């Protein structure tokens, strides 16, 4: 039977595994298997040629026991409610594991931004907020950018929400440009957070980053910044890929040359002296650290037994399926889960919301120091929980350990609030 790759089913299966091990109360488990609220909208949008198109949009509040929903908005032609629900669930666990006062949410619109001009994108962004305005807010649901949405779109959305509210509400959305009170340090925060985890995990696994070889799948916001930051830790990035394929060089790749090649030909393989490889080959390289930083479902039952990396660091959301999880675990390849590794983005989003709420703004240095503190604490929490189970003669993965911490905090909040 082929593996079930429905992202929401995967999120539910991951929860079920943790629920069984931690003996989660049955009502809490039932509540946490489904989102609390799902809003589906038809959004009429005026197009440049005078026509009107109707777009389908969603917003999910997965769980708000620990605070307002928090999560990004995707504009994607293949957006679907199962992906949005899965991402909203993972946001709940991410905020809980980082111990920041938010629940989890996510949104999306089915649209092809590559076929839309700026006028149409602005109209769609404002229509999304008009459809949602009673469902979001700085104390209800705080949105953010995600795939194919950006700081400009966040600025339009904040403006539309503020117009309806009758006053400025900068804290309704994060990832804004700094000119309209976005936070310093937000841009590279996901990769930077991931690199703090890389540093801590390498120490634990006794991998010397000064001699380590790293392969990264994805050369976008997450993967591109991770490349530069890994080099600052002394590591050598020997392989990287994007949707056009990958490149390998045993002596290490040069970031600026790759950027130039991509600008000139649209492909990374334009750089002299590198070997062209496929995305599949990149995942199976004999390296110290493999960083999937592109798409979901990349390491599956089909290739997990061919992974040779000494450890996997999930910078993308959902790159490893539950079947692959089991195989990596049996093969004793440590896999640090997405909602630990890529939580830097939402942590700095939280800082942005705090700054908007207090109207008091921090330097980039303040942001980075506070981010490091939270990432290192979360890593330690996950390692300690795994050890507690090991001491009780139960061997669990890093993902399950992270789930146990995150789910326990949400369940306790629900219980204390009298939800069950
Ligand atoms: P992005 O759009 O900036 O970059 C995605 C990269 O993946 C691009 O280089 C693209 O060419 C590449 N790619 C697409 N298809 C590919 C394929 N088949 N094989 C290899 N590479 C392929 O997106 P991003 O913001 O870097 O996000 C990447 C992942 O990280 C996603 O899973 C996202 O949900 C997750 N993430 C990102 C952030 C953030 O702040 N950017 C935060 C948390 C999680």
């Amino acid at each position: 039977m082929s593996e079930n790759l429905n992202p929401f089913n995967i999120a539910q299966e991951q929860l079920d595994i943790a629920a069984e091990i931690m003996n989660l109360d049955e009502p809490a488990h039932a509540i946490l298997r489904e989102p609390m609220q799902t809003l589906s909208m038809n959004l009429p949008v005026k197009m440049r040629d005078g026509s009107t198109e109707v777009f389908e949009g969603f917003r999910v509040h997965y769980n708000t026991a620990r605070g307002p929903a928090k999560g990004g908005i995707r504009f994607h032609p293949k957006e679907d409610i199962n992906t949005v629900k899965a991402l909203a669930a993972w946001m709940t666990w991410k905020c809980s594991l980082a111990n920041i006062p938010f629940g989890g949410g996510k949104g999306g619109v089915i649209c092809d931004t590559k076929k839309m001009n700026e006028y149409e994108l602005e109209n769609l962004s404002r229509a999304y907020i008009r459809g949602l305005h009673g469902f979001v807010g700085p104390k209800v649901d705080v949105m953010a950018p995600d795939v194919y949405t950006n700081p400009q779109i966040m600025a339009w959305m904040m403006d539309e929400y503020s117009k309806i509210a009758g006053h400025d509400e900068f804290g309704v959305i994060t990832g804004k440009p700094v000119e309209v009170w976005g936070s310093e340090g937000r841009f590279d925060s996901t990769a930077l957070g991931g690199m703090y985890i890389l540093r801590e995990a390498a120490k634990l696994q006794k991998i010397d980053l000064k001699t380590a070889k790293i392969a990264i799948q994805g050369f976008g916001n997450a993967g591109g910044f991770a490349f530069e930051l890994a080099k600052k830790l002394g590591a050598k990035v020997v392989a990287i890929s994007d949707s056009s394929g990958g490149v390998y060089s045993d002596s290490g790749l040069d970031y600026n040359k790759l950027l130039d090649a991509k600008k000139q030909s649209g492909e990374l393989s334009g750089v002299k002296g590198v070997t062209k490889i496929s995305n599949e080959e990149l995942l199976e390289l004999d390296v110290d650290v493999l960083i999937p930083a592109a798409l979901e479902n990349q390491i599956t039952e089909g290739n997990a037994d061919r992974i040779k990396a000494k450890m996997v660091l999930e910078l993308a959301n959902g790159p490893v399926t539950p079947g692959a999880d089991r195989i990596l675990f049996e093969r004793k390849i440590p896999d640090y889960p997405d909602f630990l590794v890529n939580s830097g983005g939402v942590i700095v989003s939280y800082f942005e919301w705090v700054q908007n709420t207090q109207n008091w703004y921090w330097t980039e240095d303040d942001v980075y120091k506070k981010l490091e503190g939270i990432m290192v604490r979360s890593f330690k929490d996950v390692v300690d929980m795994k050890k507690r189970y090991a001491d009780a003669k139960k061997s669990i993965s890093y993902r399950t350990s992270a789930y146990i911490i995150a789910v326990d905090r949400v369940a306790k909040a629900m219980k204390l609030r009298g939800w069950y």
Side-chain angles (χ1 to χ4, degrees):
M1 207 175 67
S2 65
E3 215 177 348
N4 179 354
L5 298 182
N6 174 324
F8 187 53
N9 293 152
I10 289 177
Q12 286 180 316
E13 188 178 337
Q14 292 169 343
L15 170 70
D16 293 345
I17 292 168
E20 192 183 333
I21 292 172
M22 66 193 283
N23 286 322
L24 182 64
D25 293 345
E26 197 40 56
H29 189 189
I31 299 170
L32 294 176
R33 281 196 105 244
E34 295 290 339
M36 290 172 58
Q37 289 174 305
T38 301
L39 185 70
S40 164
M41 300 173 285
N42 261 342
L43 305 168
V45 174
K46 289 216 173 77
M47 308 302 275
R48 182 54 104 192
D49 64 4
S51 65
T52 297
E53 255 188 61
V54 182
F55 293 88
E56 194 179 353
F58 314 100
R59 187 79 192 164
V60 169
H61 292 173
Y62 200 83
N63 190 283
T64 54
R66 285 172 45 88
K70 179 86 193 82
I73 305 155
R74 291 184 165 202
F75 280 1
H76 198 278
K78 291 199 180 131
E79 194 56 86
D80 79 285
I81 190 63
N82 282 316
T83 311
V84 178
K85 278 159 59 173
L87 289 161
W90 289 328
M91 283 306 297
T92 309
W93 314 135
K94 203 180 288 189
C95 293
S96 176
L97 181 66
N99 215 359
I100 56 177
F102 285 125
K106 205 78 180 190
V109 178
I110 303 173
C111 64
D112 189 348
T113 54
K114 289 184 183 148
K115 292 189 183 143
M116 296 171 76
N117 58 45
E118 194 171 89
Y119 169 84
E120 294 164 347
L121 263 182
E122 178 173 350
N123 283 352
L124 174 62
S125 305
R126 291 185 185 275
Y128 185 72
I129 294 301
R130 283 195 300 277
L132 269 184
H133 73 95
F135 203 67
V136 294
K139 293 183 179 166
V140 180
D141 176 357
V142 181
M143 302 163 288
D146 203 293
V147 175
Y148 295 140
T149 56
N150 57 35
Q152 172 62 76
I153 291 176
M154 300 305 106
W156 289 326
M157 289 185 169
M158 176 278 294
D159 184 68
E160 191 67 19
Y161 184 89
S162 297
K163 278 183 177 148
I164 297 168
H167 56 265
D168 284 338
E169 277 291 8
F170 294 108
V172 69
I173 208 157
T174 58
K176 301 179 295 293
V178 285
E179 293 81 357
V180 284
W181 309 113
S183 179
E184 296 292 345
R186 171 66 182 90
F187 209 55
D188 57 355
S189 54
T190 300
L192 183 58
M195 293 308 103
Y196 292 134
I197 301 293
L198 170 62
R199 187 189 68 197
E200 298 305 305
K203 265 189 248 164
L204 190 70
Q205 304 300 333
K206 302 199 170 26
I207 292 175
D208 180 2
L209 285 176
K210 297 273 181 283
T211 54
K213 289 183 183 177
I214 298 187
I216 303 177
Q217 185 193 47
F219 194 53
N221 184 291
F225 280 121
F227 186 124
E228 277 195 301
L229 293 165
K231 274 178 56 182
K232 282 192 189 156
L233 291 173
K236 198 160 61 172
V237 179
V238 295
I240 193 148
S241 63
D242 66 8
S243 52
S244 70
V247 287
Y248 177 84
S249 164
D250 198 49
S251 55
L253 294 163
D254 184 308
Y255 181 78
N256 290 324
K257 284 187 187 159
L258 289 169
L259 264 190
D260 286 346
K262 195 147 163 81
K263 266 186 215 144
Q264 276 168 21
S265 66
E267 293 194 12
L268 297 170
S269 57
V271 177
K272 282 202 184 78
V274 301
T275 310
K276 213 170 162 171
I277 55 170
S278 68
N279 262 300
E280 292 71 31
E281 287 168 326
L282 178 135
L283 295 172
E284 296 170 21
L285 287 170
D286 188 1
V287 288
D288 296 282
V289 186
L290 172 63
I291 306 183
L295 304 170
E296 55 276 356
N297 296 337
Q298 294 302 293
I299 304 179
T300 65
E301 281 177 355
N303 61 1
D305 55 359
R306 294 196 298 274
I307 301 297
K308 295 183 202 72
K310 293 194 183 72
M311 79 181 186
V312 179
L313 208 70
E314 298 179 11
L315 202 55
N317 277 316
V320 177
T321 65
D325 235 4
R326 280 188 283 276
I327 297 170
L328 294 180
F329 185 64
E330 277 159 21
R331 294 185 56 213
K332 299 194 170 27
I333 297 177
D335 173 18
Y336 293 93
D338 44 10
F339 66 96
L340 167 67
V341 177
N342 70 29
S343 58
V346 75
I347 292 168
V348 176
S349 274
Y350 162 56
F351 296 162
E352 182 173 335
W353 178 84
V354 170
Q355 293 168 76
N356 291 156
T357 306
Q358 299 179 337
N359 244 331
W360 177 251
Y361 288 86
W362 310 347
T363 65
E364 192 176 72
D365 220 35
D366 285 337
V367 169
Y368 289 158
K369 273 196 197 117
K370 289 184 169 74
L371 173 64
E372 181 174 10
I374 296 183
M375 295 301 304
V376 172
R377 180 186 71 197
S378 299
F379 180 82
K380 191 174 172 308
D381 286 348
V382 172
V383 171
D384 288 352
M385 180 61 77
K386 186 167 156 47
K387 188 169 177 308
R388 264 172 61 186
Y389 275 84
D391 291 346
K393 306 268 175 283
K394 269 192 197 164
S395 180
I396 60 171
S397 66
Y398 286 107
R399 187 185 319 281
T400 301
S401 171
Y403 258 96
I404 291 172
I405 298 164
V407 170
D408 183 57
R409 287 180 183 154
V410 178
K412 280 194 176 125
M414 292 198 302
K415 179 95 176 155
L416 286 164
R417 293 178 67 149
W419 290 9
Y420 76 93

